[in-house]
Amino acid sequence: MRFPDNTDQDSALSVSLDFEPEAGPSSVALNNDLSAAVSNGNGHAVSNGHGGPLFSNGASSSTNGKLTAAGYASKGSHAISRVSLPGTKLYEDSHVDREEFVRLVIQSLRDVGYIESAATLEAESGYTMESPEVAEFRECILDGSWDSAEVTLSRLGVSDDESLRMARFLISQQKYLELLEASNVNAALHVLRSELAPLNTDVDKLHSLSGLIMCSNAEDLKSRAKWDGAAGVSRRQLLANLQRFIPSSVMIPQRRFASLLQQAYTHQRTQCLYHNAPYDSSAFSLYTDHHCSRDSFPSLTTHILAEHEDEVWNVQWSHCGRYLASASKDKTAIVWHIGVSLHPLRRPKTGPNTRDCIPEKVLRDHPYPVGCLAWSLDDSILLTSSEHIIKMWNPKTGLCVRELDAHTETVTSLVWLPDGSGFLSGSMDRKIILWDVDGKQRDTWGTTVIRVTDLAVTPDFSRLVAVGIHHLPSSANNSAVTLQDGGTPPTGAATQASTERRRDVENRLIIYDLATKQQEVSIRLEGELTSVKISQDSRYALVNHAPDEVQLWDLDSARMARRFTGQRQGKHVIRSCFGGVDGNFIVSGSEDGNVYVWHRDTGALLEALPGHGEGSVNSAAWNPKDERMFASCSDDCTIRIWEIPPPEMMEAVGSPMAEQNGKGKGRSRDGWDGTG
Amino acid sequence: MGMRYRQYLAGTRVYGCSTCRTHLATIHSMLSRAFNGQHGRAYLFEGVVNVVEGEPSERQMTTGNHTVRDIFCVKCGTTLGWKYDRAYEPSQKYKEGKFILERNLLVDVQ
């Protein structure tokens, strides 16, 4: 919106502008004596030669007494000439519209209280942030002058009658609620009848509004209407809601510049492959693009936990992040205490973080190897599974509290409900059972289509995601296979048992509605599925898929969102997890003995960390309290704790940038192996 | 090496380990019922699942000399029968790579 458009309102300014050269370099004189002092940013500083105040206190400032340009500029008794620039873009070669940009700057200046500067900018640029009508409208809403607000609304360029009607409805609704809040029931009723009812065709909406009359007091009203009252932010909220009916060029959305910057931050963050900094961190500056260095990625083994006597198949952190449980083929689970790292000053000068990692409790008495682990929300119960048996342990005492024997085949998954009120077990016997915290069966899923190989519950409590094997009804009804007598060789009629069997098997990812236990979606997948985890926002499922793939599934659309490749997985149960701030990383075990790490949003392979010995890395788990630490476990009977390398090591290794494309070099880190 | 779930079979008839009911073979892969084992009748199968194979050993049988390996249930470790690595008699060559499961150690699981 150009300042001088209303020539009859902006008398002196618009007239004076006529003397300006239309295009070309220009500058500003803040009073006579400051001529040539201000550059316009294009490198020229030419005085325009005008002297004396150019402003009269025009109509634009006097209409409402608001902080419009002319009003403030004149108060300061500064004479500011308009700078006339060629074209409409901010820079010659940019796509940014200068008027839009400047109006946002003015808005930002006003927001923080640089009122004079904003006025100066309006005068100098000739752009106004908004017309007096908009300012008046805003003021009316914030002051609760509803009648004036409605009058002004009609002058704001609301495009169609429907929008106007809905905008009026929102204003009347606020008016109605405020009257109720003030216990002015009669006036509220009047608004309901004469304003809201004629405006709204949505009967349910009117019903719920009229029901609010029954609220016993203001507090009740606020909680039922989910509304915070006249003194709260509700009027500001109303203004934000009205925004969508008013052209944004007329009324600029609130804090628009800040939202654009927020978008830039979000974009930079999704592009930052090694991003692992907390959201509000000082890692973000406007001066430069955000970038997290690889140095802050936990790529170094700081401790090796070697206590198991056989392959370690699973690891799970306690919610407090101080304990790690491990499950092994050696028929034990171990609860490790992972100590606090020494204070930087007390640490050895040349070494990684050192901390005590103690096998605090060894949970024995499992009849078979241990497969699953699950900590209760308060970490007071640790569940383990050994074949079809589930055991509940007190991890503090190391004593088995209960043994649950309801499954008939291998238990492949144990997960606590998001509220800690119980847990689910999934099994190869096609049963999913819901248990309460005392180990009593609360519910079951009946017989599932699949033999469950893993399951997970979304943190928002809405869904259960299960993966497993579905056995099709045998198509090869081989009653025709003739059984041979002992001595005679068969005539080749015998079917290739293994290949035949494979064809009768398919793998499925099934999404259930957690509340109703109804199947939402069942997706057939090619390979064996061995692990499923859910993202913190409940939107994605991370699934290990043989051969050699980890897949990210969007649960809302039931489509695959991304594949992560590079890791090796054929026959074994390999598990993966989300890691880092906002689950930015995907970490998976692999049959080639490396730990694989990808960037979640781009699928880029970041690391293939070597270190574990012979055999598979079976699982990995990120510390829930320390975004710079995770654990991996392997057939080599050990667990590795991974942390960020100490700064002095990074110097020894050289520039991290140079390392970025080299996947997981052994480097000098080998020197630190074995410190556990 | 590595964690593996046991395989599950489907079909009209599935034989399992009598001790722990681990799935072993289907009737579709059965080649013959006319064998004898240490515990009486035994069946010859084209393929079996969920077994661990022992070390090879030479064994003299009624049909001649064979190289065989004992096979054990992957879950409970019970010896279930054996696998033929090699048959020396040309007429017995068809058994090579096939499995014997003793009937008394089997149970119908499906």
Side-chain angles (χ1 to χ4, degrees):
Chain A
M1 172 172 322
R2 291 199 167 259
F3 198 84
D5 278 354
N6 282 330
T7 41
D8 50 344
Q9 285 191 1
D10 304 304
S11 47
L13 177 61
S14 55
V15 171
S16 76
L17 289 171
D18 294 336
F19 300 111
E20 288 272 286
E22 256 317 298
S26 53
S27 77
V28 169
L30 294 170
N31 284 340
N32 260 341
D33 48 336
L34 285 176
S35 58
V38 182
S39 153
N40 67 357
N42 287 335
H44 303 281
V46 180
S47 162
N48 64 6
H50 282 292
L54 290 173
F55 285 97
S56 70
N57 198 350
S60 57
S61 66
S62 58
T63 41
N64 53 19
K66 289 298 162 293
L67 312 172
T68 53
Y72 266 84
S74 62
K75 271 183 207 165
S77 79
H78 290 180
I80 297 158
S81 0
R82 208 191 116 188
V83 176
S84 190
L85 298 173
T88 59
K89 300 300 177 195
L90 186 57
Y91 301 111
E92 238 172 72
D93 53 351
S94 90
H95 295 291
V96 177
D97 185 278
R98 190 170 63 234
E99 176 175 350
E100 292 183 0
F101 174 80
V102 171
R103 289 180 68 199
L104 294 194
V105 173
I106 298 169
Q107 186 193 41
S108 313
L109 292 173
R110 287 243 167 92
D111 282 348
V112 296
Y114 297 139
I115 308 297
E116 293 262 0
S117 299
T120 304
L121 181 51
E122 285 194 330
E124 196 172 6
S125 65
Y127 304 127
T128 47
M129 181 185 112
E130 58 193 14
S131 71
E133 285 84 4
V134 174
E136 189 184 342
F137 178 67
R138 177 178 297 110
E139 204 60 27
C140 290
I141 295 289
L142 296 179
D143 287 351
S145 313
W146 310 122
D147 293 341
S148 319
E150 287 209 32
V151 173
T152 328
L153 177 65
S154 56
R155 307 213 304 264
L156 293 184
V158 180
S159 51
D160 58 307
D161 291 349
E162 176 67 6
S163 298
L164 198 59
R165 191 181 63 78
M166 287 162 76
R168 286 212 168 105
F169 182 83
L170 289 179
I171 295 172
S172 293
Q173 174 180 280
Q174 175 80 13
K175 183 173 165 187
Y176 169 73
L177 291 171
E178 290 194 13
L179 287 168
L180 279 185
E181 187 189 17
S183 301
N184 195 344
V185 177
N186 282 338
L189 262 179
H190 180 72
V191 171
L192 187 66
R193 285 201 197 111
S194 62
E195 295 182 22
L196 289 167
L199 282 171
N200 196 319
T201 46
D202 181 355
V203 179
D204 290 344
K205 180 71 185 165
L206 279 180
H207 272 183
S208 71
L209 281 175
S210 60
L212 295 172
I213 290 183
M214 309 305 288
C215 289
S216 49
N217 55 42
E219 287 315 308
D220 187 26
L221 171 73
K222 287 178 189 172
S223 78
R224 281 177 55 186
K226 295 189 177 68
W227 177 80
D228 74 346
V233 299
S234 69
R235 287 178 181 174
R236 288 217 160 268
Q237 187 57 49
L238 170 63
L239 209 50
N241 292 341
L242 287 167
Q243 182 77 54
R244 69 189 151 113
F245 303 114
I246 300 167
S248 52
S249 62
V250 174
M251 185 165 95
I252 303 170
Q254 295 177 40
R255 299 188 175 180
R256 180 61 190 161
F257 219 136
S259 346
L260 289 173
L261 294 176
Q262 183 60 38
Q263 287 172 25
Y265 178 32
T266 307
H267 173 74
Q268 289 172 24
R269 208 161 51 90
T270 54
Q271 297 299 305
C272 175
L273 293 184
Y274 279 96
H275 188 79
N276 202 19
Y279 192 69
D280 55 350
S281 117
S282 54
F284 180 63
S285 162
L286 291 181
Y287 296 138
T288 172
D289 281 2
H290 169 80
H291 172 76
C292 282
S293 133
R294 182 175 177 268
D295 302 1
S296 53
F297 184 84
S299 57
L300 177 79
T301 296
T302 53
H303 297 89
I304 297 176
L305 314 184
E307 196 73 23
H308 282 296
E309 290 162 8
D310 211 331
E311 301 171 3
V312 188
W313 285 350
N314 217 337
V315 278
Q316 204 71 240
W317 289 97
S318 66
H319 294 88
C320 69
R322 299 259 58 92
Y323 294 92
L324 181 72
S326 58
S328 168
K329 193 181 177 184
D330 70 8
K331 303 183 185 177
T332 71
I334 296 181
V335 177
W336 304 83
H337 180 250
I338 309 296
V340 184
S341 82
L342 293 177
H343 188 273
L345 294 176
R346 294 177 53 205
R347 232 177 261 161
K349 277 231 159 44
T350 54
N353 290 354
T354 44
R355 50 178 98 230
D356 292 329
C357 297
I358 301 159
E360 213 161 75
K361 297 290 174 204
V362 181
L363 313 180
R364 300 178 198 280
D365 304 328
H366 293 96
Y368 300 98
V370 185
C372 303
L373 300 161
W375 293 86
S376 63
L377 285 203
D378 61 0
D379 295 328
S380 66
I381 302 170
L382 176 65
L383 305 172
T384 63
S385 77
S386 179
E387 279 298 339
H388 58 285
I389 306 275
I390 300 167
K391 280 173 170 272
M392 302 177 72
W393 301 83
N394 179 336
K396 291 262 183 316
T397 61
L399 295 177
C400 181
V401 184
R402 229 168 240 107
E403 185 173 301
L404 312 176
D405 188 5
H407 286 288
T408 54
E409 296 289 347
T410 314
V411 173
T412 53
S413 40
L414 289 171
V415 292
W416 284 85
L417 292 177
D419 65 351
S421 64
F423 60 91
L424 287 156
S425 59
S427 162
M428 284 290 193
D429 65 8
R430 294 205 184 111
K431 277 191 277 189
I432 296 174
I433 300 178
L434 173 61
W435 308 81
D436 68 17
V437 288
D438 298 321
K440 291 196 187 67
Q441 285 192 43
R442 209 159 79 185
D443 205 349
T444 96
W445 251 248
T447 305
T448 55
V449 175
I450 49 173
R451 292 188 186 274
V452 179
T453 53
D454 200 5
L455 64 81
V457 174
T458 56
D460 67 3
F461 238 100
S462 66
R463 291 173 170 139
L464 183 154
V465 182
V467 294
I469 305 159
H470 175 40
H471 293 263
L472 302 171
S474 178
S475 53
N477 190 3
N478 282 342
S479 52
V481 170
T482 42
L483 296 177
Q484 309 292 323
D485 283 334
T488 14
T491 53
T495 52
Q496 287 291 325
S498 54
T499 54
E500 220 24 69
R501 197 182 57 75
R502 282 283 147 225
R503 244 177 269 151
D504 294 344
V505 167
E506 61 182 37
N507 302 284
R508 285 192 172 269
L509 168 84
I510 302 185
I511 305 171
Y512 294 96
D513 181 306
L514 187 59
T516 63
K517 301 201 285 273
Q518 292 301 304
Q519 181 177 307
E520 280 181 23
V521 186
S522 173
I523 301 160
R524 189 185 163 186
L525 294 168
E526 280 307 309
E528 265 181 65
L529 310 172
T530 57
S531 166
V532 56
K533 298 273 169 44
I534 309 282
S535 63
Q536 207 48 49
D537 63 5
S538 297
R539 172 128 188 234
Y540 297 102
L542 184 68
V543 175
N544 275 65
H545 177 285
D548 305 344
E549 219 169 78
V550 183
Q551 302 177 346
L552 191 68
W553 283 83
D554 183 333
L555 297 175
D556 290 336
S557 64
R559 283 166 191 268
M560 199 200 298
R562 205 149 288 116
R563 296 167 198 268
F564 305 96
T565 56
Q567 128 276 24
R568 294 281 165 245
Q569 173 171 5
K571 299 169 178 171
H572 295 139
V573 178
I574 304 292
R575 298 176 198 269
S576 57
C577 68
F578 292 94
V581 165
D582 300 332
N584 189 44
F585 304 121
I586 303 294
V587 189
S588 177
S590 171
E591 288 178 15
D592 66 5
N594 294 325
V595 177
Y596 283 77
V597 184
W598 297 267
H599 181 241
R600 184 192 60 191
D601 292 338
T602 62
L605 177 62
L606 299 179
E607 303 284 340
L609 301 168
H612 275 298
E614 196 68 6
S616 303
V617 173
N618 296 304
S619 185
W622 207 278
N623 189 312
K625 282 288 187 288
D626 183 349
E627 69 273 7
R628 295 171 158 200
M629 183 198 279
F630 72 95
S632 62
C633 62
S634 156
D635 287 352
D636 71 3
C637 309
T638 72
I639 298 141
R640 283 178 170 243
I641 304 292
W642 302 82
E643 294 181 77
I644 61 168
E648 63 272 14
M649 247 188 86
M650 292 314 294
E651 284 159 23
V653 166
S655 152
M657 291 305 288
E659 289 290 330
Q660 223 155 32
N661 293 324
K663 301 291 181 220
K665 304 284 191 304
R667 303 184 312 218
S668 56
R669 101 150 59 85
D670 292 341
W672 305 114
D673 284 351
T675 47
Chain B
M1 288 289 260
M3 182 182 190
R4 284 185 78 167
Y5 294 127
R6 289 191 303 283
Q7 294 185 45
Y8 289 87
L9 302 172
T12 44
R13 198 161 180 192
V14 176
Y15 297 104
C17 168
S18 62
T19 311
C20 69
R21 301 181 64 84
T22 290
H23 288 202
L24 297 172
T26 65
I27 195 164
H28 304 311
S29 80
M30 186 188 281
L31 300 173
S32 168
R33 293 185 200 271
F35 278 77
N36 285 304
Q38 288 177 314
H39 307 276
R41 273 289 158 146
Y43 303 153
L44 182 71
F45 289 93
E46 175 73 31
V48 301
V49 297
N50 301 324
V51 293
V52 180
E53 296 173 9
E55 291 301 309
S57 65
E58 298 296 312
R59 221 167 279 177
Q60 189 60 41
M61 300 193 173
T62 51
T63 48
N65 202 19
H66 295 80
T67 308
V68 300
R69 296 166 183 268
D70 283 337
I71 54 177
F72 313 96
C73 172
V74 74
K75 182 179 177 187
C76 66
T78 304
T79 308
L80 298 165
W82 62 87
K83 177 191 179 184
Y84 290 104
D85 267 12
R86 187 177 167 199
Y88 290 87
E89 295 293 322
S91 66
Q92 304 302 314
K93 283 282 181 199
Y94 75 94
K95 296 181 198 162
E96 289 182 359
K98 311 282 193 295
F99 300 84
I100 290 290
L101 294 176
E102 304 232 20
R103 192 181 68 183
N104 285 333
L105 303 177
L106 297 182
V107 63
D108 282 1
V109 289
Q110 193 168 304

